């Protein structure tokens, strides 16, 4: 796993986001080139999927100068 802000995004990347309750299906984990992590403090609840997607897509757009 790599922190989402340490990953080097490319224009042809495909980002998959899993369900808030279960994440991405296990079989997908075996097919991908990289898994991204949003670091969080211990004891905090997880982010909802729309917040997580916004953070990661925002970082990808920033890196690719696509804003």
């Amino acid at each position: 796993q790599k922190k989402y802000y340490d990953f080097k995004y490319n224009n042809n990347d495909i980002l998959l986001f899993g369900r808030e309750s279960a994440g991405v299906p296990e079989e997908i984990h075996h097919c991908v080139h990289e898994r991204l992590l949003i670091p969080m403090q211990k004891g905090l609840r997880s982010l909802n999927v729309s917040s997580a997607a916004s953070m990661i897509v925002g970082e990808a757009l920033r890196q690719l100068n696509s804003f």
Side-chain angles (χ1 to χ4, degrees):
Q1 287 186 342
K2 192 175 281 189
K3 294 176 184 166
Y4 78 97
Y5 47 78
D6 290 334
F7 183 73
K8 187 141 184 105
Y9 297 88
N10 292 303
N11 284 321
N12 62 347
D13 285 337
I14 296 171
L15 300 172
L16 298 174
F17 298 92
R19 295 190 333 252
E20 293 171 24
S21 60
V24 174
E26 191 60 36
E27 60 269 15
I28 300 298
H29 287 274
H30 302 292
C31 304
V32 298
H33 296 285
E34 192 68 64
R35 291 172 28 184
L36 301 181
L37 171 71
I38 297 174
M40 294 184 59
Q41 290 181 335
K42 290 185 191 254
L44 293 181
R45 295 183 59 178
S46 62
L47 296 171
N48 69 35
V49 71
S50 64
S51 295
S54 296
M55 293 170 66
I56 294 173
V57 170
E59 176 61 17
L61 291 171
R62 184 194 68 80
Q63 285 187 25
L64 299 169
N65 295 315
S66 295
F67 278 114

